[in-house]
Amino acid sequence: MPDNRPQPPSQPWSSPSGSGPAGPPPLLLCGARLTDGRTVDVRLGGGRIEAVGTAGSLTADATRACVPRLDLTGYLLLPAPAEPHAHADTALSADGPGPVSQDPEDVQRRATEAALLQLGHGATALRAHVRVGDMAGLGALRAVLRAARSLRGLSELTAVAMPRVLTGVAGADGLAVLRDAVKMGASVVGGCPDLDPDPTGYVEAVLETASEHGLPADLHTDASDPARLARLAAMAGGLRPGVTLGPCGGLSALPTDVAARTAERLAAAGVTVVCLPQGGCGAADGREAAPVRLLRAAGVRVAAGSGSLRDVSNPVGRGDPLEAAYLLASCQGLSPEDAYAAVSTRARAAMGLPEVRVEAGFPADLLAVRGDGLPAALSLAYSRIVVHGGRVVARTSAVREYCDSAASGSGPELPRQGRGPA
């Protein structure tokens, strides 16, 4: 049987920053539509956007310089989304027999395949939450970090170390493993305080470790206990480079006034909330989505992630950031622009990544989606072209055809989605 799993491109890798043997070659994106309605050409070079001009204005210079061109007629050009809440160590494990395999080779294979699937959707950067300690030790983290190295140049995969217990007698081992995970290469300190006998002590241990190493903290919590969340916000207020919480679905079950006061405390502490519109994850109870509009009204920075990708917590998880944006617009009442910002601009900010705009000087991490505008792109985002570090790293082409009408050929032709440049 053919292997339909996503595969890395066959061409040699070149560093997005230009530090590889040759660096990414210049590239001209022609005829792309922007969200403000303009049709533009965009010249990329050295991993960044060099110039943006009206359609056709950059063609002559590109022709003289023999710069390759990519026709994006019919496509909407957007900053690429990012994935702030993935579970790479358990992804794609729902169909396996028995317990999820923690064999390092299996974990690395699943993490690589999951990252490529999400790259195909447009996510050029992913933050993977990886369990450490207990029986698994550091094996899963080591495998995910190997996957990250193998994907270098295609996507940026970073790891959050998640110990189960950090307090009491058992917590001493967990704290030692957490520190070893940071030394190994975990770039974010995290965990799930809801699973510890002493949630407040757990948060203190995570924040102290993060502060000690100058790393961000990213904590899983259902957020169903407002008093506990208020204590967390008080402790998190002074930590830099910042604290992220998710998925916080329990806030939806609280009385509106209680949830609003809790959201105000999170906003005052500068905490970012990553919601999971596509479903929950195994590290936090409940599948309710966080009350995004309430959080935004209180001034909380809200990003959106995918959560589980076809594991036991969500066997049908897609890991598609555009679906997360669609659900925020469709179910939570956000505007298409605000919903897409949650999976792109605000997701990148939550991950400590530089901002991306379709303007000169910004990183060339872009997503081209077939569609006339953002609402259409979120509704029918089938054909996609993904640019990371200034080069095309993934393409998805969708063609819709209809059978001939039973009526005579004198009537209007049936619609057909053409192949176009993809």
Side-chain angles (χ1 to χ4, degrees), residues 85-94 100 129-131 134 162-164 191-196 202 219-222 246-249 276 278-288 306-317:
H85 192 120
H87 289 271
D89 54 337
T90 58
L92 307 175
S93 62
V100 177
H129 298 254
V130 183
R131 286 289 180 88
D134 298 330
M162 293 183 56
R164 184 175 179 84
C192 187
D194 298 356
L195 301 179
D196 193 285
Y202 188 105
L219 291 162
H220 280 58
T221 180
D222 188 47
C248 296
L276 303 179
Q278 298 174 83
C281 64
D285 293 334
R287 299 183 65 85
E288 291 292 326
S306 298
S308 296
L309 174 57
R310 301 206 325 250
D311 65 15
V312 293
S313 299
N314 188 0
V316 295

Side-chain angles (χ1 to χ4, degrees), residues 54-418:
T54 56
S57 63
L58 305 180
T59 304
D61 289 342
T63 301
R64 285 193 296 270
C66 299
V67 174
R69 286 181 283 177
L70 177 62
D71 185 0
L72 292 182
T73 303
Y75 280 80
L76 184 71
L77 190 62
L78 302 162
E83 175 52 72
H85 192 120
H87 289 271
D89 54 337
T90 58
L92 307 175
S93 62
D95 296 332
V100 177
S101 171
Q102 292 297 318
D103 179 82
E105 290 188 5
D106 290 339
V107 174
Q108 183 177 351
R109 174 185 52 77
R110 291 197 307 260
T112 303
E113 186 176 343
L116 289 173
L117 278 170
Q118 295 188 263
L119 178 65
H121 291 317
T124 59
L126 299 94
R127 177 180 281 187
H129 298 254
V130 183
R131 286 289 180 88
V132 298
D134 298 330
M135 298 296 292
L138 294 170
L141 176 63
R142 187 176 291 107
V144 170
L145 293 175
R146 281 202 301 264
R149 289 191 291 271
S150 73
L151 292 163
R152 197 171 293 155
L154 296 176
S155 68
E156 299 176 43
L157 173 61
T158 56
V160 184
M162 293 183 56
R164 184 175 179 84
V165 177
L166 288 179
T167 66
V169 176
D173 290 338
L175 192 56
V177 170
L178 180 60
R179 288 175 173 148
D180 287 343
V182 170
K183 293 176 184 176
M184 181 180 288
S187 55
V188 186
V189 182
C192 187
D194 298 356
L195 301 179
D196 193 285
D198 178 5
T200 300
Y202 188 105
V203 172
E204 289 176 347
V206 166
L207 297 184
E208 286 176 5
T209 304
S211 178
E212 176 185 345
H213 294 276
L215 297 176
D218 194 329
L219 291 162
H220 280 58
T221 180
D222 188 47
S224 57
D225 185 333
R228 183 187 301 171
L229 209 58
R231 289 193 295 271
L232 190 157
M235 290 186 288
L239 183 70
R240 297 293 179 268
V243 177
T244 299
L245 298 181
C248 296
L251 282 172
S252 296
L254 297 177
T256 301
D257 58 334
V258 175
R261 287 196 299 271
T262 304
E264 290 169 0
R265 292 188 177 99
L266 294 176
V271 171
T272 298
V273 170
V274 174
C275 63
L276 303 179
Q278 298 174 83
C281 64
D285 293 334
R287 299 183 65 85
E288 291 292 326
V292 173
R293 294 180 68 181
L294 181 147
L295 288 165
R296 297 271 290 148
V300 178
R301 294 190 296 266
V302 180
S306 298
S308 296
L309 174 57
R310 301 206 325 250
D311 65 15
V312 293
S313 299
N314 188 0
V316 295
R318 294 184 181 179
D320 185 350
L322 267 65
E323 182 180 46
Y326 157 79
L327 291 170
L328 288 175
S330 177
C331 301
Q332 297 259 13
L334 271 62
S335 69
E337 293 75 18
D338 198 13
Y340 188 74
V343 301
S344 56
T345 304
R346 294 200 294 274
R348 290 183 63 89
M351 298 165 66
L353 297 171
E355 183 182 6
V356 174
R357 299 183 194 170
V358 188
E359 297 177 15
F362 285 86
D365 270 42
L366 304 167
L367 172 63
V369 184
R370 187 183 291 282
D372 295 331
L374 194 53
L378 296 185
S379 176
L380 297 169
Y382 299 132
S383 296
R384 309 182 192 187
I385 300 174
V386 186
V387 175
H388 173 52
R391 69 182 184 122
V392 175
V393 292
R395 295 174 183 251
T396 301
S397 298
V399 176
R400 176 179 292 142
E401 297 179 307
Y402 300 87
C403 67
D404 293 335
S405 171
S408 66
S410 59
E413 293 185 359
L414 288 169
R416 177 180 185 276
Q417 179 184 330

